Amino acid sequence: MIIYSGTPQLETDRLILGKFELTDTQDAFTNWLSDEKVSDNRISPAHKNVSQTVERITKIVSDYENENCCYWAIKLKSNRDLIGEIDLYNFDHATENCEISYSLGYKWWNQGYGTEALRAVVEFGFRYMNIHKISGAHNIDNPASGRIMKKVGMVQEGVIRHMIRNSKKQYKDCAVWGILLEDYLQQNESEKNYIVNME
């Protein structure tokens, strides 16, 4: 059975993953939601004005009332800069499986932050929520996302042709990745925790 506990604050070596607040709206808009370099890898188009971001962040904040909302803002521990988002979603009670997605602002790509955030949320999903399998996907034009998934122990399970239509209405083939609880526990026998603090 999946054990829900909402969106607790997760702290890693360099990051704090916590709930979005309405005051995060401008930074979310500036740092990734308005950036086409990021939106090219998403289904939703880049935001043209901050009112779109207000609507999006307001919905996320409202969803925190539900215990199955697992949606984190990713902030740097050093200066509290908001650099991205990561969430667990599409929970299936029959299989106890779910999916994961994440986005980082372009300024913070290739610095290991995506891997660090993903490791923490995967650890949370398996060790605290009793998830059976976590899956994720990325369009094949974005292999860096696949490298992040591979680093946390996920395995590529195939490619689905025209799985999504991106923000520019282009069909994209997507690589699908997954990791099972049993695989995660085997890979992490030492019980090394990437989450250094949880509130």
Side-chain angles (χ1 to χ4, degrees):
M1 184 174 70
I2 298 174
I3 302 167
Y4 294 108
S5 55
T7 306
Q9 181 171 294
L10 310 177
E11 186 178 327
T12 67
D13 288 342
R14 298 183 296 165
L15 302 173
I16 293 176
L17 280 58
K19 291 180 179 179
F20 275 96
E21 299 176 354
L22 295 179
T23 52
D24 292 321
T25 299
Q26 185 62 55
D27 287 341
F29 175 79
T30 302
N31 293 347
W32 76 92
L33 287 174
S34 64
D35 189 345
E36 288 199 358
K37 291 187 292 294
V38 178
S39 68
D40 279 352
N41 297 312
R42 301 167 58 98
I43 296 172
S44 304
H47 289 186
K48 299 299 184 187
N49 57 69
V50 75
S51 65
Q52 294 173 278
T53 309
V54 169
E55 184 178 342
R56 190 169 188 275
I57 300 297
T58 299
K59 183 182 185 313
I60 293 169
V61 170
S62 174
D63 285 346
Y64 287 138
E65 294 179 9
N66 305 316
E67 64 175 6
N68 65 347
C69 178
C70 303
Y71 208 120
W72 291 269
I74 304 172
K75 295 185 178 182
L76 296 181
K77 190 185 289 188
S78 59
N79 57 16
R80 298 301 194 270
D81 279 355
L82 175 65
I83 67 170
E85 62 189 341
I86 186 167
D87 67 310
L88 294 171
Y89 68 102
N90 200 17
F91 296 99
D92 185 308
H93 294 282
T95 61
E96 298 175 349
N97 297 345
C98 73
E99 297 181 51
I100 195 164
S101 71
Y102 49 87
S103 292
L104 279 184
Y106 180 75
K107 178 179 174 181
W108 297 278
W109 287 7
N110 301 312
Q111 297 176 56
Y113 294 127
T115 303
E116 193 167 326
L118 185 58
R119 277 190 174 129
V121 173
V122 166
E123 178 181 319
F124 176 75
F126 286 137
R127 294 196 184 276
Y128 296 93
M129 294 184 66
N130 197 40
I131 299 295
H132 174 70
K133 180 182 181 181
I134 298 174
S135 300
H138 65 87
N139 78 57
I140 60 174
D141 294 341
N142 182 26
S145 189
R147 289 194 291 273
I148 289 173
M149 294 183 193
K150 185 175 182 179
K151 285 177 184 176
V152 305
M154 299 177 81
V155 175
Q156 185 176 333
E157 299 176 338
V159 173
I160 299 178
R161 295 186 300 162
H162 290 197
M163 180 178 173
I164 65 166
R165 203 173 185 184
N166 73 3
S167 58
K168 294 179 178 176
K169 306 301 182 188
Q170 301 164 322
Y171 286 103
K172 293 291 182 178
D173 299 346
C174 290
V176 178
W177 296 70
I179 182 170
L180 303 175
L181 172 60
E182 60 195 68
D183 295 337
Y184 172 83
L185 293 175
Q186 266 189 344
Q187 295 167 13
N188 296 273
E189 286 179 354
S190 65
E191 296 195 11
K192 171 178 170 52
N193 293 324
Y194 293 102
I195 300 171
V196 299
N197 190 36
M198 187 168 77
E199 298 177 8

